[in-house]
Amino acid sequence: MPEPRRSGVDMPMAERPIPFDTRQPVDFVVVGSGAAGGVLAKELSTAGFDVVVLEQGPYRRPGDFSHDELDVMFFGELTRHPSWSDPQTFRRTAAETAQVRAPSAGPPPALYARGVGGSSVHFSANYWRLRPLDFSERSLLGPIAGTGFADWPFSYEELEPYYSRVDWEIGVSGAPGPFDAPRSRPYPMPPLPVTSAGALLEKGAAALGLHAQPAPLAILSRPHNGRPPCLHCGFCMGFGCEVSAKSSTLATMIPLAEASGRCEIRPLSTVFRIETNARGRVSEVLYLDAAGAQQAQKARAVVLAANGGETPRLLLMSDSPQFPDGLANGSGLVGKYLMGNGHSLVHALFDDPVNSYKSVQATRIVHDFYASDPQRGFYGGGGLDARSFIQASPILFAETGLPPGTPRWGKAHKEALRHGFTRHMAVLSSTTSLALESNNITLDPVLKDAAGRPALRMTYRDHDDDLAMMGFLQDRAVEILEAAGAASVWREPVVPQDVHTHLLGTCRMGTDPFTSVVDPFHRSHEVPNLFICDGSSMVTSGRGQPTMTIQALAFRAAEHIAGFARRGEI
């Protein structure tokens, strides 16, 4: 295999000190260091290419993570911009004027972590694979009027080897379930020990003839690749892992990328524009450093992996006379077809302690309702898992974890908290999300952030089928909890969602440049040295846990991108 071209003036690696010279082009600039960006940085640098990773958040070390509920869950220590205010706006339809949500009213509409490792640092680590049906549902079920429902440009079988790479290189614990897709390799680790909530889900599911199975998690159940297993601290959802048992790219991919000697991680670097040359090729990436000063890194190629919200925002901010509607947006679909997955929630209290706040979030899942069933009268499928949810931490439990009608003050309130915290569990449903062109990410025409960038504007309303599927799975969750012996059960209302942690579909893949933004190898149809690989690439939403698929896509994309570079095709 021929050696890849070295950066700049073809210096040997030992003579190319890191940090790289911003005025000499590196082989690749990767924007974002999360689930996809971390994989791409590792794969490209270990393949022999010089890589600069631009990450808007800080570079936190394991010892920097805390269990401070106020700072992390209320003040957004992992999610706020580290250097300046970066507001977002939201509206349900294009007929409305998008508004900024007050901090007291909840998180921003596009909720993601900022920092090296991205949202893989604070996620709950549910690692579901897509199934073969996910890649060809349009062919299996036919069109759905008014949607962008489409087949993927390749099959599950083509992606499967990369799913197995995620299992082994990222680190996934689990065991096969009765409905799982075929796999070429076993899990590298057994599942995490079942929690009380998982055991109760099993009990209720079995009573109804359903099939609970171990939840696949990107959390180590035993030592793997030099990292220690989970300590069962209970602070997985929304928090970073101080022992690196959670398989974030911060813990798994970034160290390998840096060890290659060819990758520079440049934190506190907020990209605001991608420049192109007279040939319409990307030539450099403009960003703001921690002090807000403008910097620029020259590059032979750029890989966008900034998430399904920030990636289209950046492309739309990179308009020019050559690309008047935004970079790589000749199809007009950059930012369109935003999918967020549907979720619904049921709470329960049991007579005896459950202690679901301990250990990982989910150890058992039910996938009996994964496939779409025409007899339901609407499209959709999904799964259920038993967990503590955000009520694992005491302040949020006090705010959101008590049944309706519970006294909110005084002795009775205190007694309810004392009794309920150890006896609470929830069942979360995760479902499909149909691609609608009216659901999108655009630039707010009025509001700007403190650095002068147009604010991210989200327009979103769940399709009626998605709402129906959320309700269907919520009904099943109630049945399971009642069959498990819950003393009381209550529901969160199923309403159109206005906060999304899964940001999918906004630069979708496809073979037709008029109906997609990137080709099946994540290469822009219009800009040959621009690649886009994150949740925005996905064509359909899957059933609610997309991170493993995003990483499988990144392993696959990196292999093809490296091949293009070796053959001189970039």
Side-chain angles (χ1 to χ4, degrees):
M1 184 177 293
E3 281 285 314
R5 292 178 300 128
R6 294 190 177 97
S7 295
V9 291
D10 218 27
M11 292 180 179
M13 185 175 67
E15 299 174 32
R16 297 265 307 153
I18 291 178
F20 292 120
D21 184 346
T22 61
R23 306 322 300 153
Q24 291 292 329
V26 293
D27 294 313
F28 295 98
V29 167
V30 177
V31 181
S33 62
V39 169
L40 289 154
K42 177 262 184 184
E43 288 292 286
L44 293 172
S45 60
T46 57
F49 300 99
D50 288 344
V51 178
V52 169
V53 178
L54 298 176
E55 166 58 54
Q56 64 178 310
Y59 198 150
R60 300 179 181 90
R61 309 297 171 167
D64 296 328
F65 296 119
S66 83
H67 294 173
D68 186 328
E69 184 184 1
L70 275 176
D71 195 21
V72 174
M73 301 299 281
F74 285 83
F75 301 150
E77 194 277 326
L78 297 180
T79 57
R80 65 179 178 253
H81 194 285
S83 301
W84 58 78
S85 172
D86 184 17
Q88 301 173 6
T89 62
F90 179 83
R91 60 185 183 174
R92 297 211 182 276
T93 71
E96 301 175 10
T97 300
Q99 302 293 328
V100 177
R101 181 179 296 121
S104 59
L111 180 60
Y112 62 91
R114 307 185 201 227
V116 177
S119 291
S120 71
V121 167
H122 80 163
F123 65 2
S124 299
N126 290 289
Y127 262 42
W128 304 359
R129 293 186 179 200
L130 269 61
R131 294 190 191 168
L133 66 86
D134 285 294
F135 295 84
S136 57
E137 274 196 303
R138 169 65 170 74
S139 293
L140 290 169
L141 302 176
I144 299 176
T147 77
F149 194 43
D151 289 342
W152 289 57
F154 49 80
S155 67
Y156 170 84
E157 289 72 22
E158 183 172 337
L159 195 59
E160 195 286 327
Y162 304 99
Y163 275 125
S164 289
R165 289 193 65 185
V166 177
D167 280 337
W168 285 84
E169 297 187 40
I170 297 295
V172 180
S173 59
F179 308 112
D180 285 5
R183 57 174 52 243
S184 57
R185 297 185 70 185
Y187 282 99
M189 290 165 284
L192 274 291
V194 65
T195 60
S196 297
L200 288 166
L201 185 75
E202 278 189 327
K203 177 183 177 182
L208 298 171
L210 304 176
H211 306 80
Q213 68 181 73
L217 296 173
I219 299 173
L220 305 190
S221 61
R222 64 186 183 195
H224 182 72
N225 291 346
R227 294 188 291 123
C230 178
L231 294 177
H232 307 284
C233 70
F235 286 86
C236 289
M237 186 174 181
F239 294 84
C241 182
E242 66 271 29
V243 298
S244 299
K246 189 191 293 187
S247 299
S248 66
T249 53
L250 175 66
T252 59
M253 296 286 102
I254 298 298
L256 298 176
E258 291 185 300
S260 74
R262 289 187 176 274
C263 181
E264 178 191 348
I265 308 297
R266 205 172 288 171
L268 302 174
S269 300
T270 302
V271 178
F272 67 91
R273 184 173 179 83
I274 299 172
E275 291 282 15
T276 52
N277 59 24
R279 297 170 58 213
R281 305 290 184 96
V282 297
S283 55
E284 64 180 344
V285 179
L286 309 185
Y287 65 97
L288 303 171
D289 62 21
Q294 181 172 319
Q295 309 290 343
Q297 175 64 58
K298 289 187 176 294
R300 291 192 172 91
V302 172
V303 186
L304 280 183
N307 77 43
E310 291 293 348
T311 287
R313 180 190 185 192
L314 179 55
L315 292 171
L316 294 172
M317 286 193 294
S318 301
D319 61 331
S320 67
Q322 288 174 300
F323 302 99
D325 297 318
L327 185 61
N329 194 27
S331 66
L333 294 180
V334 167
K336 304 289 181 65
Y337 295 127
L338 172 65
M339 300 174 288
N341 289 126
H343 297 285
S344 57
L345 192 66
V346 178
H347 300 272
L349 292 178
F350 286 79
D351 290 329
D352 297 315
V354 176
N355 295 326
S356 66
Y357 63 90
K358 295 182 178 181
S359 192
V360 297
Q361 280 278 320
T363 60
R364 291 294 182 271
I365 57 176
V366 171
H367 273 182
D368 293 69
F369 310 107
Y370 191 96
S372 190
D373 183 353
Q375 293 186 357
R376 295 178 197 145
F378 48 84
Y379 165 78
L384 302 158
D385 68 60
R387 58 169 70 196
S388 50
F389 202 57
I390 60 171
Q391 290 76 24
S393 49
I395 301 174
L396 280 167
F397 176 80
E399 290 289 319
T400 65
L402 294 172
T406 303
R408 303 298 299 168
W409 188 254
K411 181 179 179 181
H413 178 62
K414 292 179 182 178
E415 289 177 348
L417 292 174
R418 190 177 298 112
H419 176 83
F421 185 62
T422 58
R423 291 167 173 81
H424 170 271
M425 66 170 278
V427 173
L428 178 72
S429 79
S430 299
T431 77
T432 37
S433 176
L434 278 166
L436 300 174
E437 190 171 348
S438 57
N439 290 341
N440 53 64
I441 299 292
T442 52
L443 305 179
D444 193 284
V446 177
L447 185 67
K448 299 182 184 299
D449 71 3
R453 300 182 303 159
L456 181 154
R457 179 175 67 179
M458 180 186 292
T459 306
Y460 192 93
R461 188 191 185 282
D462 297 289
H463 190 278
D464 288 345
D465 283 14
D466 298 327
L467 293 166
M469 191 65 208
M470 294 179 218
F472 173 86
L473 285 181
Q474 189 178 67
D475 290 342
R476 307 291 81 75
V478 169
E479 293 166 358
I480 289 171
L481 286 165
E482 289 176 344
S488 60
V489 177
W490 68 100
R491 306 166 184 250
E492 295 279 348
V494 174
V495 295
Q497 301 173 112
D498 59 6
V499 176
H500 295 281
T501 55
H502 303 165
L503 301 162
L504 314 173
T506 49
C507 296
R508 55 165 40 189
M509 286 189 292
T511 57
D512 185 345
F514 293 101
T515 60
S516 59
V517 177
V518 295
D519 71 13
F521 308 109
H522 298 264
R523 189 176 202 158
S524 161
H525 288 300
E526 297 176 81
V527 186
N529 63 340
L530 173 66
F531 299 86
I532 300 167
C533 184
D534 52 25
S536 68
S537 308
M538 292 178 65
V539 181
T540 57
S541 68
R543 266 58 184 173
Q545 304 296 347
T547 309
M548 188 177 198
T549 297
I550 291 170
Q551 293 194 308
L553 291 173
F555 275 112
R556 178 180 176 273
E559 184 176 290
H560 288 286
I561 294 168
F564 295 146
R566 290 190 181 102
R567 295 189 297 271
E569 296 173 7
I570 295 180

